[in-house]
Amino acid sequence: MGEFRTWSRIKGESVLGGILGESELAVNSLHHQAIRDLGAGYTASAIAPDGVIEAIERPDAPFMLGVQWHPEYYASKEPMARLFNRFVEACAQAR
């Protein structure tokens, strides 16, 4: 289900790092566009070896995390299941 790419880095102190518990992860990258410049307040929490930003977050928001791959293809498998579980928890807390 798509090309796999190994991240050279998932920031351990990031929201994503805390959710996944991984410092490196193979993901299915199907994109032909990528973030070049982050908006104010956003940080890159995962970067591919070629420099493509694979995940962003906004630390001052209750829960704002964006990924540049397709975790829904592997939603029932770890560690992607943890990502979806955390999203559901954040939605429940926001209600």
Side-chain angles (χ1 to χ4, degrees), residues 10-84:
I10 298 175
K11 292 182 181 177
E13 72 280 2
S14 67
V15 171
L16 181 65
I19 293 169
L20 298 179
E22 308 280 345
S23 62
E24 190 173 280
L25 184 69
V27 298
N28 56 335
S29 293
L30 304 173
H31 49 76
H32 66 278
Q33 296 176 332
I35 296 170
R36 182 180 62 198
D37 301 314
L38 291 169
Y42 290 88
T43 62
S45 52
I47 300 174
D50 62 3
V52 169
I53 296 172
E54 292 282 1
I56 63 169
E57 55 193 63
R58 188 170 180 133
D60 62 345
F63 185 78
M64 193 270 125
L65 176 64
V67 297
Q68 182 77 8
W69 71 91
H70 293 271
E72 70 276 12
Y73 292 167
Y74 303 98
S76 64
K77 298 181 181 191
E78 295 297 341
M80 296 307 165
R82 290 194 297 270
L83 184 59
F84 281 98

